[in-house]
Amino acid sequence: MRHPFREKLMLAVALVFTAIYLFPLYWMYVTALKSGSAIFASPPAFWPADPQWHIYAEVWQSRNMGRYIWNSLVIAFGAVAMISVLGVGCAYVLARYRNGWVDGTLFLILMLQVLPASLMITPIFVGFSQTGLLEYPRLAVTLAIAAKSMPFFVVLVRTAFLSVPQELEEAGLVDGDSRVGAFFRIALPLARNGIVVSALLIFMQAFGEFVYSRSIIQRAELQPASIGLNSFMGPNTNEWNGIMAYATIYVTPILVAFVLLQRGIISGLTSGALR
């Protein structure tokens, strides 16, 4: 039996919460188009009378955003590639072989995820300094992000492999396939959606990473976009339209990618990647 009133009420509540959630994002876009005086006007305008569209080109050129975005992409793709190569095999082993040692390893992995980046940065910085990795700061940040995000990736991908029936691999072994062959030809393709979703979440985290980059990368030409945004901050900062324009350029590619890949993300979620 359908309840039209209840359905309409739930839809209204969902729309209200969606509006509350998206309003800060909308306000960021609107503030970027306001002039300095319009930003501090009271009451505030929900759309500027004279949109300052030129602010995006000015911020892009004056802040050299192309370099910052490129560095963020290098770090994010590097971290995702490293985590995917190492984490998929680890997740598969944890999903297929259950014993006391494996359960203990999974527990340790979960404990590593609890540690905040601000706590890990000091020992990581000292270790990288002693091994000479600070001479390659983007590689050092990529390794630090991979170490921090690996537990999260392994736990999610392990669940994706658990959703793949083990009987399919056993059938492949009976037909003469090897364990490695069964992994690449059976388990890996069936867990693909979960792996892609997990990799996308890691990419979003790495693209916006700040703590490791701020501490390790000292050369301005190698710093990611999160550090470039932080460069606006100061004791006398009043360029709020520039800050919001920078944030808009920084965030929009991620939003566009999320919208374009939403079907794959939903497929990954429903296939068991985040259960």
Side-chain angles (χ1 to χ4, degrees), residues 120-138:
M120 299 175 62
I121 183 58
T122 300
I124 286 177
F125 185 88
V126 173
F128 285 174
S129 177
Q130 293 178 349
T131 56
L133 280 174
L134 293 183
E135 298 295 327
Y136 311 94
R138 286 191 302 192

Side-chain angles (χ1 to χ4, degrees), residues 47-68:
W47 183 259
D50 183 23
Q52 307 293 311
W53 296 103
H54 60 84
I55 187 65
Y56 295 111
E58 291 179 0
V59 169
W60 180 271
Q61 294 177 1
S62 63
R63 295 288 173 169
N64 201 0
M65 281 200 67
R67 180 190 66 195
Y68 284 124

Side-chain angles (χ1 to χ4, degrees), residues 63-85:
R63 295 288 173 169
N64 201 0
M65 281 200 67
R67 180 190 66 195
Y68 284 124
I69 296 295
W70 169 253
N71 290 330
S72 293
L73 290 174
V74 169
I75 292 173
F77 277 114
V80 169
M82 190 177 302
I83 291 173
S84 299
V85 171

Side-chain angles (χ1 to χ4, degrees), residues 99-148:
N99 55 50
W101 289 102
V102 171
D103 293 338
T105 302
L106 182 60
F107 177 78
L108 292 176
I109 289 175
L110 292 173
M111 289 300 99
L112 289 174
Q113 183 60 34
V114 176
L115 298 176
S118 56
L119 179 64
M120 299 175 62
I121 183 58
T122 300
I124 286 177
F125 185 88
V126 173
F128 285 174
S129 177
Q130 293 178 349
T131 56
L133 280 174
L134 293 183
E135 298 295 327
Y136 311 94
R138 286 191 302 192
L139 175 60
V141 172
T142 301
L143 290 172
I145 294 174
K148 179 64 175 64

Side-chain angles (χ1 to χ4, degrees), residues 152 156-157 159-161 163 190-202 204 258 261-275:
F152 179 70
L156 295 184
V157 176
T159 310
F161 280 120
S163 66
L190 293 177
R192 178 182 56 192
N193 288 338
I195 296 172
V196 171
V197 170
S198 303
L200 180 60
L201 295 176
I202 296 297
M204 295 173 65
F258 186 84
L261 299 175
Q262 60 177 327
R263 291 188 178 182
I265 293 174
I266 294 174
S267 177
L269 293 174
T270 56
S271 69
L274 298 180
R275 286 189 304 175

Side-chain angles (χ1 to χ4, degrees), residues 86 206 230:
L86 300 177
N230 184 67

